[in-house]
C-alpha cells in the first residue's frame, strides 16, 4: 500500500512539472529514393523538409543527391552532395543561410531473419558554413555520425 502511494505521488509530481512546459510542434517530411542505373550503379535522391513554429515555418530544406555503388549484395557505398538552407536568426541576419556538404557513406544490410534486418550506416560529412552562421569561427566542420537502424521487412 505504501509503495502505491509513493508511485501515485511521483506521478502527480511528474504531471505538475509537465504542465509548466511550453508545447512546440515541428514537422519533418522526408522522401528517400534509389534510382537504378546500369550494372551496380544507382542514384540516391533524398529530400527532407523540417519545420518549426507549429509547422508554420520552414526551418530546413535538405536536398541530397549521391551516386551508389553496390559493392556486394548487402553492401552499398555512396558519395554525394547536399545543399542545405537553414533558417538562421542572429543580429542583422534573419533568413535562410546556405550550407554545403560533401558526404560519403557505407551501408551494410544484415538480415537477422525473414522479417527483421539490421542496417549499419557509416557516414562522413564535410560541411561548409558561411561565416555568419559560424560567427567567423569556421570554414568547414566535420561530423562522423554512426547510425544504427533496425528495419522490419515485409
Amino acid at each position: 500500500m505504501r509503495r502505491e502511494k509513493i508511485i501515485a505521488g511521483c506521478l502527480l509530481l511528474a504531471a505538475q512539472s509537465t504542465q509548466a512546459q511550453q508545447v512546440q510542434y515541428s514537422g519533418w517530411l522526408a522522401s528517400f529514393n534509389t534510382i537504378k542505373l546500369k550494372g551496380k550503379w544507382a542514384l540516391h535522391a533524398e529530400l527532407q523538409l523540417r519545420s518549426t513554429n507549429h509547422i508554420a515555418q520552414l526551418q530546413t530544406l535538405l536536398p541530397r543527391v549521391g551516386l551508389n555503388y553496390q559493392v556486394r549484395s548487402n553492401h552499398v557505398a555512396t558519395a554525394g552532395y547536399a545543399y542545405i538552407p537553414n533558417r538562421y536568426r542572429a543580429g542583422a541576419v534573419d533568413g535562410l543561410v546556405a550550407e554545403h556538404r560533401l558526404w560519403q557513406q557505407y551501408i551494410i544490410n544484415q538480415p537477422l531473419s525473414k522479417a527483421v534486418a539490421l542496417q549499419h550506416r557509416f557516414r562522413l560529412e564535410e560541411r561548409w558554413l558561411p561565416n555568419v552562421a559560424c560567427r567567423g569561427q569556421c570554414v568547414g566542420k566535420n561530423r562522423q555520425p554512426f547510425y544504427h537502424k533496425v528495419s522490419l521487412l515485409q
Side-chain angles (χ1 to χ4, degrees):
M1 182 69 166
R2 181 169 185 203
R3 188 170 76 177
E4 287 84 9
K5 287 182 181 180
I6 292 173
I7 292 172
C10 289
L11 289 174
L12 284 173
L13 286 174
Q16 289 292 341
S17 66
T18 58
Q19 287 178 353
Q21 295 176 358
Q22 182 180 2
V23 176
Q24 287 188 339
Y25 296 99
S26 62
W28 190 345
L29 177 66
S31 174
F32 301 92
N33 303 281
T34 301
I35 302 161
K36 193 85 167 125
L37 300 174
K38 198 171 191 178
K40 295 184 173 198
W41 296 95
L43 183 65
H44 174 91
E46 149 184 355
L47 179 64
Q48 297 180 41
L49 301 170
R50 300 174 188 171
S51 68
T52 59
N53 193 17
H54 296 280
I55 313 174
Q57 183 178 41
L58 178 67
Q59 175 68 30
T60 302
L61 173 67
L62 197 156
R64 186 189 313 260
V65 295
L67 188 61
N68 292 348
Y69 180 75
Q70 189 167 359
V71 178
R72 294 187 207 153
S73 63
N74 60 338
H75 291 231
V76 177
T78 307
Y81 170 77
Y83 171 79
I84 304 164
N86 288 299
R87 185 155 305 281
Y88 185 78
R89 273 196 188 131
V93 178
D94 183 7
L96 296 175
V97 175
E99 176 183 333
H100 300 274
R101 293 184 189 179
L102 291 178
W103 59 280
Q104 307 84 42
Q105 74 181 16
Y106 195 83
I107 293 177
I108 303 169
N109 291 306
Q110 178 185 6
L112 299 178
S113 69
K114 286 186 178 184
V116 178
L118 285 178
Q119 183 182 78
H120 310 280
R121 182 179 82 182
F122 305 91
R123 179 178 284 173
L124 174 67
E125 292 183 313
E126 294 86 27
R127 302 172 64 188
W128 284 271
L129 302 166
N131 280 340
V132 66
C134 298
R135 298 195 169 116
Q137 297 176 359
C138 68
V139 174
K141 285 193 169 190
N142 296 320
R143 287 184 0 180
Q144 298 86 23
F146 179 73
Y147 173 79
H148 246 78
K149 178 181 174 184
V150 176
S151 298
L152 296 175
L153 304 176
Q154 297 180 15

